[in-house]
Each structure stands twice: as C-alpha cells, then as structure tokens.
Amino acid sequence: MLRHFVQRDANVAVLEHPKWDHCVVIECTSAFSKSATEIPSGPVRQESLGAAARSYHIRVEERAKALPPRISKVRHAEAEKVAFQAVFGIYELLSGPYIALIRTADTVFSRQLSLPPLAPAGAEEQTVEFRRATRIAILPLFRAGRDLPPSLKADENRYLDLLYSAFSSHVFYFSYKHDVTASFQRRAFRYAGQGRHVKAQRWRRADNRFFWNRKAIQPLIDAGLGDQWVVPVMSAHIEGVDGLRVPGSGAEEHRFTYLFISRRSKCRAGTRFCRRGVDAKGNAANEVETEQVLLHQDGSIQSFVQLRGSIPLLWRSPVNLKYAPKVEIEKDGSANAGAFKEHMIKLAETYCGFHLTASGVPIYSDRVVKSLPTLPTPIIHAPVIRASNSRSHRGSLKGVHAANTPPARSRKNSIPRMGTHTPPNEAEVQPGRPSEQAPPPAEGWQGKIVMVNLIDHKGVQQRLGEAFSDLVDAAVHSLAGRAVLPPLRYIWFDFHKECSHMQWSRLSNLLEKLVEDVAGGGWFHQGGEACKFSILRVQKGIVRTNCMDNLDRTNVVQSLIARHVLLQCLEERDSIGRQPSGGNGHTADHRHAAPYTTKAGVGGKNVLDSGIPVLEKAFKAIWGNNADAMSLLYAGSEALKTDFTRTGKRTMAGRCKDLRNSIWRYYVNNFGDGLRQDAIDLMLLNFSPRADRASPFMPKPKQETMSTVLTKIYVLFVVVFALCLVAMDEKLDDVLCLSLQAVMVLVVSTAVHLFRNGSRLGKRMVCHPCLLQET
C-alpha cells in the first residue's frame, strides 16, 4: 500500500497511510527560521544554523486533525500529495531538511514459506520478499527554506548533486514483510526460539552492517515511529531462478528455486582506493556477505553463506596516477593487532556466536565481548630482499596455518616493525613458533573462521600477505588470542601464479584444501513437511575470501566453493545420485573423498562444472552478474575474468573486455572516486553539512585541475614554439610541426612516467574526497 507525503503549508509536512487513523506531522522549529543571509562566506563561518539540534519536530496526530478535508482532497501544488513506498531518511542540509523517499519499487522475488504458524509474532518469518527501489526522490521537507548567500547556495547544490549521484549509482532492496538483512539461518533461529528477537521491531532486529539508512532514518526512530514507518534498506545484488530441474535418484526430476543474495556492508563503505583494509573498530572495506539459497518444493530450505572483505590490516594505497599505487601499511604494530582482533571478534560473534539448547533449538549467544585480553603485537616483516628463500613456501598451499598445525618458520631474516612490541608472557607462545603447550581454543564458539588469501607472493602484495600471516600467527599461537577467538585457518593461495598460462585446473588444489573445512562448517538445512520443518543442519563458522580488491579473483574462488556446496546440498536431499566408490556399491563421502581434479573430482564431478547444463548455465550467469554488480560499486567498472566465471574458460573476447574495463577503472579511480566517495559518505551521514565551518569544496592548495593542466601544456607549447622560431631558420609550418612534436613527446613521456611510478604531480592531479579524509 502506498503512503503519501504532503506539504500541508510552508512550515508543516505530513506523512500518512490511507489505512491508518494517525499521521506523522513534521513541523519546523525556531532554529529553522534563522536566516543565512548574514552568514559570512569566507573561509570560516561563525554562525551556526542549528547543527547541534534538528530544525524540526516530529509528532503523531489524528488524521482528521493533521489533514482536514479541505487539504486532504486538494491536488494542486499548494498541498501536493507525493506517493511513496518507504522513507529512506531525512537529511539536514544548509537550506533546511530534505526527505529521501522511495517512490517506486519492483518486487524481484516473493515466496511464501511452508512453515507452521507457531505464534502470531513469527508470521512475518514465513514470507520471503525483496523489493528493489527503482526511483528515489529527494524533496524539501518544507516549502519555505532558508535564504542562502551565493556561496552557501553553491555548496547546497553540490550536496544535492552528491545525494542524487549516490542514490542513482546504488541498487537498494527492502521489504514490508521480513528482515532483508538477515540470512535464512538467522531468520530460522529467531523463529525457532520465539524469543525477544522475533517480538522486537524489525529495525531493531536488522543487522546494522546492512542497514544502510540507519542514520538517515534516526529522526523517525527517536519519535517512536520505528514499528510503522522505519523500513531497513540495504545495498545488495539479488537474483532468483525458479523451476530449476536436476536429475533425482529416482526416475523423476527434482525442482527447486535458486535464490542468490549479496549483502553489502555499510561499515567502511566506499570506493577502491579511498577505503582499504580495516579501521580501528575492525570494520573491513568492501565487505560483502553472499548467500545462496535452495528453496525446495516440499518446503525445505538449504542455504550457505560466504564472506569477502579487504585484508584486515590498517593499510592504504592513495592514488597518484600510478597504475598500481604504492601500498602503505600502518607502522604501529600494536594498532594493527588491535584492529585485527576487533575484526576477528566481529566475525566470531556474527558467524560462530550461537549455541544449541538441550532440545536442539539454536539460540544466538548473548555474549558481548567488552573487555578482552590484548593480542600480542606480532613481528611484522619489513620489505627487505632476502638472500635465502626461507619463506618462499608461504605462497603455496603448504604454508597453510591452522589452529592445530602451526608452521615452523625461520626468523633470522626478519626484523621488528617500528612501534611498540609487546613481549608475550612466559606461558604464551611466540607468534609463529610451534609449541607443545599451545592453549586450547576458546569454548562457546561454533565452527571456525577460514581465511583464504588470494594475493600475489611478490612485491607489495607479498608484504601485505606476510603481515596478514603474522597477525594470524599471533592470534592462533598465544593465550590471549586463543582465549577469546574460535579456531582460525589461514590459506595463502597465489591465484595469479597458480593459474598462470590458463592453468585453471590448479584451482582444484585450493578446493581440495577447503573440502574438510566446508564439510565441517556445513550449511543450513531446514527440513520440509515430512520433517516437521525442523532444523536438520546449521552452518558453523564462515569462509572469508580476499584478494587486493575483493572483486575478480575473489568472485572466481567464491563461485568455486558455492558450486561445491550446491552439489553437496542436492546430494544431501538425494536429488543427485552419488557415484559408487569402488565396487562395493557404497556412495562416495565428500568429506573423505579423493583430491579434486577437473576431470574426476569427488563423486566424479568436475569442480569447474556441475555437469548439469541447465543448472550450470543459471549458476554461471548469476555469479557473473554478481561480479559485475560488486565491481561497479567499488571499482567503478565491470569485473575482470567474468568470461571464466560465465563460461568456465578464458577467451580472447574476454581478454579484450578486461583491457577495456582496466582502462576505465584507471580513469575512474583517479578522476572520479573522490566524488563517488563523497556521495557515499553524505548518503550514509558519515558527514553532516554545516554552515559554521569552511566549505569542504574550497580548492586545495596546489591542487591541479584539467583546466590548469591544459593551460600549462598550452604555455609549454608557446615557449617551445618561440624557442624553435628564434633558433631555427625554417618555414613557419615546419617550426609549428616540430614544436607540436616536441610538446607531444614531453607530454607522453610524462604521462608514461606517472603511469608507471606516480609522483607528487600525479597526487595533485587526481580527484580526492572533499568531505572526509582518505583512510
């Protein structure tokens, strides 16, 4: 049912629902009536426009009082009704508040689950619905806005342009009927428990990572309107395919629906080179939770969740026109260890922090880690060239670091990083060194955290990988780490080296190492009517995959894992007959199977192909679309290597497309990401516009623009032409041609130098964020 936004008069706005007896009245306060005409437009503006307090007040009134008949029936501009489906949020700009409304939306997926109505409070958990916002409007909350001087008016227009850009570049999903931010396992846990989590308002239950309008909708929450007017909105990629058919164990085919959801985290959201690594609170850049769901005809549900996110270190790579900008790792080892610990705790509490009751009912733990031991500061290896190759094994699968298999490593060529190094206690194990007295893992966690690192084993990527490894070692082999974290598994797989020269079959080596972890962690399985809709299996732990950008290589490996789990899920339901192992007639056990190969993997399946054409076509198309969607939002272009994701092989057309996308990425990352980052920060209210401080859009000192660069090239041409004209006794046409050639050579050589090495000049030429600093 559509809701309506009405500007009742110059200073009053109303939100109303046709079936509700009460309306929301938003009225301006005295702070809003302040004029901005007297505010100085210099670098510092002293007068505040009510930044500390909102310029409006929200209350609830009866419909007859809030919208009398003479207003509710008119349709002219004086009291125009604007229909909308959900409120995204309210933004306080310089001229006054604006309201962002989702005016139109399409239902991309809707399904009624076959679950018994245990209680009225759990009724909404029987519905799966995703609505995609197709049009978001930004309207002044009141018709009468503040009068702004020209300088503030220009800033106001910039802010509006940023908001329009943010809403137009993102795809948002919401639902009236269920919590779109929760995985199917978490939804089932709430439903089975029938506790306070189900009875709470939907916005309270929403996962804050994916609740993108949480700050913007806060005014309605503060007014006590969360239950009726607050709808969590998330940025995501969602696709569903109905009627997939696979051969069953009998003569009949089995049909099911394949639902794919990639939920993007708002924490540390941003663009490729503006947001890298993690922050001090453990929030990772470009973090995406991907869930594949199988909805079967008998009402049973199977789902599997994976995670991607930036390397959990404090690091950055600011742009300076170099194709691969220099990586800068935080020199304070204790700060890196703290950020890594916070990130691991977040993963543990989210994906390992639940327990099963005596009756088998899964309940999320109330364990909130507030005061934890500090992890020891690891010895971070400096980027020095070693004469020996003592650590070369760490780029292969032999260098897997597991909780029960600490690697033996030589430290003679390593030096401590700059910063405070906390020596371990006597009972603690030195980071990276094996010990027979290694403490047991913390109790109370379910499953383990498996970290798959796909970056190169050379150059700056090697530095990052070694620093990552050292932090895992410090957590795994110390009392402080093992006392608070679940078991950790770390795999460093050099994707580019292992799969060079089109050797994609080597991906089976990686999957072989993950088979035991995936089988141990499992997936979520809720039985159908025959099983009385009981929970048959839960997923314990999480597989976290990363490369440098968490885009192209990450998507390939995640699709590999997802295909493996998809076949496991179908075989669990006896939808696909298992190949007998040997001649005894017993079915193959995936958990104890032979190593994967592309010719004869577990159960005779190809790890790069499910062997079912209809299923494989839909699977590859969805994962290819997911790669493009995630890449467009983070890197500004479509993903690379999608020809392999979509077809299972690399093609010349795919290589040409990768070249085109790489060129476009380079341009966007250097000259567009600054504005894109500003748009995201403003939409998420990480930055709040205020008139009592300098304009964030003022030109930075020594900042180059396209006009200044072209002016300098023109001046250079004039100087060269004048010198050639004086020094050469040639015709004017020849002098002009020679001058153009000389200037062209200088410009091209400078561009090539900037592309390869970057420089201070390149740093001044690129587009940096204006609202917040790059972190």
Short mmCIF file of all heavy atoms in Angstrom, two decimals, residues 39 56 74 82 113 118 155 182 277 291-292 610 663 742 768:
data_model
loop_
_atom_site.label_atom_id
_atom_site.label_comp_id
_atom_site.label_asym_id
_atom_site.label_seq_id
_atom_site.Cartn_x
_atom_site.Cartn_y
_atom_site.Cartn_z
N ILE A 39 25.31 35.23 7.18
CA ILE A 39 26.46 34.38 7.45
C ILE A 39 27.59 34.74 6.51
O ILE A 39 27.39 34.80 5.29
CB ILE A 39 26.08 32.90 7.27
CG1 ILE A 39 25.02 32.53 8.30
CG2 ILE A 39 27.29 32.00 7.41
CD1 ILE A 39 24.56 31.12 8.19
N TYR A 56 13.53 20.69 13.15
CA TYR A 56 12.14 20.29 13.00
C TYR A 56 11.76 19.40 14.19
O TYR A 56 12.61 18.85 14.90
CB TYR A 56 11.92 19.52 11.69
CG TYR A 56 12.88 18.38 11.48
CD1 TYR A 56 12.60 17.10 11.95
CD2 TYR A 56 14.09 18.59 10.82
CE1 TYR A 56 13.48 16.06 11.78
CE2 TYR A 56 14.99 17.55 10.64
CZ TYR A 56 14.67 16.29 11.11
OH TYR A 56 15.56 15.26 10.95
N VAL A 74 -7.44 18.36 -1.91
CA VAL A 74 -6.91 19.19 -2.97
C VAL A 74 -5.77 18.47 -3.67
O VAL A 74 -5.11 17.62 -3.11
CB VAL A 74 -6.42 20.55 -2.42
CG1 VAL A 74 -7.55 21.32 -1.82
CG2 VAL A 74 -5.30 20.35 -1.42
N VAL A 82 2.51 13.37 -2.53
CA VAL A 82 3.55 12.59 -3.22
C VAL A 82 3.46 11.16 -2.71
O VAL A 82 3.68 10.91 -1.52
CB VAL A 82 4.95 13.18 -2.97
CG1 VAL A 82 6.01 12.32 -3.64
CG2 VAL A 82 5.03 14.61 -3.47
N LEU A 113 6.81 -19.18 2.52
CA LEU A 113 7.44 -20.38 3.02
C LEU A 113 6.42 -21.27 3.71
O LEU A 113 5.46 -20.79 4.33
CB LEU A 113 8.56 -20.03 4.00
CG LEU A 113 9.66 -19.12 3.45
CD1 LEU A 113 10.72 -18.88 4.52
CD2 LEU A 113 10.29 -19.71 2.21
N LEU A 118 3.65 -20.89 14.41
CA LEU A 118 3.79 -21.18 15.83
C LEU A 118 3.25 -20.07 16.70
O LEU A 118 2.75 -20.30 17.79
CB LEU A 118 5.27 -21.43 16.16
CG LEU A 118 5.91 -22.63 15.42
CD1 LEU A 118 7.36 -22.76 15.83
CD2 LEU A 118 5.16 -23.91 15.71
N ASP A 155 27.24 25.50 -2.40
CA ASP A 155 27.52 24.30 -1.61
C ASP A 155 26.28 23.41 -1.51
O ASP A 155 26.37 22.18 -1.61
CB ASP A 155 28.00 24.67 -0.22
CG ASP A 155 29.42 25.20 -0.22
OD1 ASP A 155 30.05 25.19 -1.30
OD2 ASP A 155 29.89 25.63 0.85
N ALA A 182 18.88 -10.24 7.25
CA ALA A 182 19.19 -11.47 7.97
C ALA A 182 19.28 -12.64 7.00
O ALA A 182 18.47 -12.78 6.08
CB ALA A 182 18.13 -11.75 9.03
N GLY A 277 41.51 -1.98 3.58
CA GLY A 277 41.82 -2.56 4.87
C GLY A 277 40.67 -2.46 5.86
O GLY A 277 39.49 -2.49 5.50
N GLU A 291 25.01 -15.13 0.08
CA GLU A 291 24.23 -16.30 0.49
C GLU A 291 23.53 -16.90 -0.72
O GLU A 291 22.89 -16.20 -1.50
CB GLU A 291 23.18 -15.89 1.54
CG GLU A 291 22.33 -17.04 2.05
CD GLU A 291 21.31 -16.62 3.09
OE1 GLU A 291 20.97 -15.42 3.13
OE2 GLU A 291 20.84 -17.49 3.85
N GLN A 292 23.70 -18.20 -0.89
CA GLN A 292 22.94 -18.93 -1.90
C GLN A 292 21.92 -19.82 -1.19
O GLN A 292 22.24 -20.48 -0.21
CB GLN A 292 23.84 -19.73 -2.83
CG GLN A 292 24.55 -20.90 -2.20
CD GLN A 292 25.31 -21.74 -3.22
OE1 GLN A 292 25.49 -21.33 -4.36
NE2 GLN A 292 25.77 -22.91 -2.81
N SER A 610 29.23 -28.30 -12.91
CA SER A 610 28.37 -29.19 -12.14
C SER A 610 27.95 -30.41 -12.93
O SER A 610 27.46 -31.38 -12.34
CB SER A 610 27.12 -28.42 -11.69
OG SER A 610 26.35 -28.02 -12.81
N ILE A 663 41.21 -0.09 -18.31
CA ILE A 663 41.44 1.31 -18.68
C ILE A 663 40.40 2.20 -18.03
O ILE A 663 40.71 3.28 -17.48
CB ILE A 663 41.43 1.48 -20.22
CG1 ILE A 663 42.61 0.72 -20.84
CG2 ILE A 663 41.48 2.96 -20.60
CD1 ILE A 663 42.59 0.70 -22.35
N ALA A 742 57.56 18.11 -30.36
CA ALA A 742 58.35 18.20 -29.13
C ALA A 742 57.45 18.21 -27.89
O ALA A 742 57.71 17.51 -26.90
CB ALA A 742 59.23 19.44 -29.16
N HIS A 768 40.51 13.85 -5.17
CA HIS A 768 40.46 13.34 -3.81
C HIS A 768 39.10 13.66 -3.18
O HIS A 768 38.43 14.61 -3.57
CB HIS A 768 41.57 13.97 -2.96
CG HIS A 768 42.95 13.63 -3.42
ND1 HIS A 768 43.56 12.44 -3.14
CD2 HIS A 768 43.85 14.36 -4.16
CE1 HIS A 768 44.77 12.42 -3.67
NE2 HIS A 768 44.97 13.57 -4.29
#
